[in-house]
Amino acid sequence: MPATAEQITRLCDDWLAAVTQPGGGMAIGGASERFRLHKNGVNFHEIEFDALCAAIVGLTKVVLLPGLTTVVDADHQLLWSWCAEVLLCRRADVFQPEQSELRELLSTAIHCALVTARNPGLRPSDWHREALITQIQSVHVQELTANSLLTLTYLAFPVLEGLIKLKCTEFVDMSGRVLAEFEVPRRGGESGRLRAYRPEQRGNGQCNSIRDLLMLYRARVAGEAAGRYLDEIFGRLVQLEDKPGPDALADWRNSSLHGAGSFPTIAGTVMGCALLIATDGIAGQYVELRQAALDGLAARQRMPVRFGNTFYPPW
C-alpha cells in the first residue's frame, strides 16, 4: 500500500530527531539512516498528491540542520526526479509555449541536482563499474559533477523566482514589471511599515526581490494547502536563522553569490520551495498527470537509449 502523508512526515521527523545530539550537535549515522524514505518502501510514483507535498516539506526540513550542514540523500534525488517527471510531462500545462525558457531552466536545474545520483542498491561490482565510467569522463564533466550542488545553488534561485512570477501573473510579469498594485511588509516587521508596488511608478514599478515576491505569493496567490506547507519550511528557517523565511532566503541569495553559506542546504531548501510552488494548483489533475508520467516512462524504457527528457528514476 502506498505511503501516506502522515507516514512520510513521521519518518522525516524521526530522522531529524535521530540526528539531533545532546547539546545541540548533529550526527548522521545508522540510527538516523534507517528512517530514510527509500529504505521504508516509499515509492514516489505510487503516493497520492498530499503525500507528495508532505515529502517535499519533510525532505526540505531534513536539509535544514543547525550550522547549515547537511547531506543530500537518494531520497531527495528520487523526489526531485519524480516531480520533474510530472511537471514536465507533455500533458502538464504548468508552462505555456512562451515560458519555454523557464521550463528549460527547471529541467536543467533538476538534471544538475541528479548528476551525482547513484542507486543505493548497487552491488560492489556495480560500484566498480560506476567508478570506471567516471574515470573515462572528460575532466570538465568530472569537475561539473563534483561541484554540482554549487551550480544548483546558482540555478535554484532564478527557478524559484521564475515560478513565483509564473503564479503571480496578475501582479507581475516574467520580467518583474508590476501589473497590479500590491503591498508587502518591510523588513523588521513593525506594524504599518509596508512597501507599496504600483504599475508605472518610478522606483516601485518593478519587483525582482525574491523576498517580496515570496511574500506576495504567500499572501495573495498561494492555495490554502501550499501556503500551509510553505509556512512549515519558513518556520524551520526561523528556528535556524532567527529571521522570517523570506528574509532568510533573500539573504542566502546574496551570500551564495559571494561564496558564503552551505551550498547543499541552500540548494536543497530553495528547490523544495520551488517545487511546492510549482505543484500548487495541480492537485485536481495529479492522478492524470501521474499516469501520463508513468506512460511516458514505460514508452521510453522500450527505447535503446535514455533521452534527456527522462528524469525518474534518477539513475
Side-chain angles (χ1 to χ4, degrees):
M1 187 172 183
T4 65
E6 292 75 17
Q7 290 169 333
I8 289 172
T9 298
R10 189 182 314 116
L11 284 168
C12 291
D13 289 344
D14 287 345
W15 188 92
L16 284 169
V19 301
T20 303
Q21 302 297 301
M26 309 295 290
I28 299 174
S32 61
E33 296 312 279
R34 62 193 178 97
F35 296 115
R36 293 295 192 182
L37 300 186
H38 71 274
K39 292 185 177 181
N40 286 272
V42 177
N43 296 311
F44 293 114
H45 61 279
E46 297 176 348
I47 61 179
E48 301 298 328
F49 183 74
D50 62 336
L52 180 68
C53 292
I56 296 174
V57 174
L59 291 179
T60 302
K61 291 164 70 175
V62 157
V63 301
L64 285 167
L65 302 181
L68 303 185
T69 56
T70 192
V71 174
V72 170
D73 181 71
D75 278 354
H76 299 91
Q77 294 166 332
L78 283 161
L79 172 68
W80 296 342
S81 66
W82 175 247
C83 287
E85 201 69 53
V86 171
L87 292 168
L88 300 174
C89 74
R90 289 186 176 181
R91 293 189 205 170
D93 58 358
V94 176
F95 302 97
Q96 301 305 310
E98 65 271 18
Q99 294 146 359
S100 60
E101 185 175 345
L102 177 58
R103 188 185 191 280
E104 288 303 311
L105 182 60
L106 174 60
S107 173
T108 301
I110 296 293
H111 281 305
C112 184
L114 304 179
V115 72
T116 60
R118 297 291 182 270
N119 189 338
L122 289 179
R123 298 168 298 180
S125 58
D126 295 324
W127 282 110
H128 178 66
R129 181 198 63 204
E130 292 294 313
L132 290 176
I133 292 172
T134 299
Q135 290 174 15
I136 63 174
Q137 289 176 335
S138 158
V139 66
H140 309 300
V141 174
Q142 293 181 42
E143 284 299 308
L144 280 172
T145 301
N147 293 287
S148 60
L149 288 176
L150 167 61
T151 306
L152 181 60
T153 301
Y154 282 81
L155 292 173
F157 280 108
V159 168
L160 176 60
E161 180 181 330
L163 287 169
I164 299 172
K165 289 175 177 175
L166 191 62
K167 297 292 185 179
C168 296
T169 53
E170 178 184 347
F171 297 96
V172 294
D173 66 13
M174 296 304 292
S175 71
R177 183 169 61 94
V178 175
L179 304 175
E181 181 177 338
F182 65 93
E183 296 177 336
V184 297
R186 292 185 180 274
R187 280 187 181 247
E190 294 91 340
S191 178
R193 295 190 69 234
L194 301 173
R195 177 170 183 178
Y197 285 95
R198 295 185 175 87
E200 309 299 334
Q201 184 178 44
R202 186 181 181 89
N204 292 310
Q206 191 80 14
C207 181
N208 292 302
S209 162
I210 199 74
R211 173 195 179 272
D212 291 356
L213 288 167
L214 275 167
M215 300 194 82
L216 166 65
Y217 168 77
R218 177 63 188 92
R220 303 288 295 274
V221 177
E224 180 182 353
R228 185 172 67 251
Y229 293 137
L230 203 57
D231 286 345
E232 288 191 49
I233 297 175
F234 289 169
R236 182 71 176 164
L237 282 165
V238 170
Q239 293 176 0
L240 297 181
E241 295 288 271
D242 196 29
K243 64 183 73 170
D247 290 9
L249 289 170
D251 290 345
W252 281 1
R253 186 175 202 177
N254 293 332
S255 68
S256 72
L257 295 176
H258 293 88
S262 168
F263 294 119
T265 297
I266 295 172
T269 305
V270 176
M271 285 303 298
C273 293
L275 291 174
L276 270 180
I277 292 169
T279 55
D280 184 11
I282 72 167
Q285 60 181 137
Y286 181 69
V287 172
E288 177 187 350
L289 290 178
R290 178 175 62 189
Q291 190 58 53
L294 290 173
D295 291 345
L297 283 171
R300 290 193 294 270
Q301 284 173 355
R302 294 191 291 269
M303 301 292 182
V305 295
R306 184 166 179 170
F307 295 96
N309 62 345
T310 304
F311 299 94
Y312 185 83
W315 35 74

